[in-house]
């Protein structure tokens, strides 16, 4: 896999959309989890990663309290 910025961003977004959390995405792509978190933060700030409304759940995590660490959960302003 090419590790260019765009390729990594696309790969992280695709795996996140498939329901993988940051740690699993990092393992899958062979990168540091911190890098995945930075990529997700960048994607959220630039509108590439839609955030769920505060308090909303997407239903993909079990148990749902896991939403606290979800990369697509919005953060209070």
């Amino acid at each position: 896999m090419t590790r260019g910025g765009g390729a990594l961003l696309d790969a992280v977004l695709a795996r996140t959309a498939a329901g993988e959390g940051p740690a699993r995405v990092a393992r899958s792509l062979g990168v540091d989890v911190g890098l995945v978190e930075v990529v997700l933060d960048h994607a959220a700030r630039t509108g590439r990663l839609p955030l769920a409304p505060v308090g909303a759940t997407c239903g993909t995590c079990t148990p749902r309290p896991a939403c606290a660490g979800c990369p697509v959960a919005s953060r209070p302003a």
Side-chain angles (χ1 to χ4, degrees), residues 5-51:
L8 180 61
L9 176 63
D10 292 340
V12 168
L13 292 178
R15 291 181 178 276
T16 299
E20 293 184 21
R24 187 168 177 191
V25 172
R27 281 192 305 274
S28 298
L29 299 177
V31 298
D32 186 76
V33 69
L35 178 58
V36 171
E37 291 169 347
V38 168
V39 168
L40 290 170
D41 183 59
H42 170 76
R45 285 185 289 109
T46 59
R48 297 261 331 250
L49 179 68
L51 297 177

